[in-house]
Every structure is written in structure tokens, then in C-alpha cells.
Amino acid sequence: IDLVETKAFSDHYSYRQDYINALINEGKHLSIDAYITTAKDAVKLGGVRFRKPCFVAVAETVIDNVEEFRRLVSSFDAGVNR
């Protein structure tokens, strides 16, 4: 995947069709083939339409060292509950 442009939005951003249309128009000049969004934001895009595909990037957290993670969480919890 070659990213040609990125946009950051504030948390709880309310996506409207007029803003999506502006992204689409901007994309015409950048030769955009598709859009990518987070799963969190995809839920809020249900009412808007894109002229090109809009893919959802899903992230998964993997904990390599479970014991170390538990120790860290326990030490944090102990500090909070003092």
C-alpha cells in the first residue's frame, strides 16, 4: 500500500457528506484508488458515500509476555488503590 495522503480527525468527530465530498475532490488530484479508515471511525461513516472503496483497518493487540504484562498491570493497580 502506498499512502499518498493522511488526515487526522479529533476524537468523536462527526463525519458529514460535505466533508467526505471535499476529501473525494482532493483525492482526484492525488490519484487515490481507495480510502482507509479505522474500525472505530468506520462505524460513524455509515451514512456517507464514497466514490471509491473505503477499507477498514482492524488492529489487534498481541501480548508477547503475558506474565510481565500481568505483573505490570498488578503493580499499576496496587499504586492506584493505595
Side-chain angles (χ1 to χ4, degrees), residues 3-20:
L3 295 178
V4 294
E5 182 77 23
T6 62
K7 296 283 183 186
F9 298 94
S10 61
D11 222 7
H12 307 290
Y13 186 82
S14 180
Y15 296 94
R16 298 186 333 244
Q17 188 64 53
D18 60 336
Y19 189 77
I20 300 303

Side-chain angles (χ1 to χ4, degrees), residues 7 13 17 60 62 80-81:
K7 296 283 183 186
Y13 186 82
Q17 188 64 53
E60 178 180 326
V62 176
V80 171
N81 292 319

Side-chain angles (χ1 to χ4, degrees), residues 3-4 6 10 16 18 21 26-28 32-33 42 44 46-47 59 62 65 67 69-70 74 78-79:
L3 295 178
V4 294
T6 62
S10 61
R16 298 186 333 244
D18 60 336
N21 290 345
E26 188 177 316
K28 289 178 185 176
I32 290 176
D33 296 320
K44 298 182 275 183
V62 176
N65 187 333
E67 290 305 316
F69 178 75
R70 285 185 180 144
S74 294

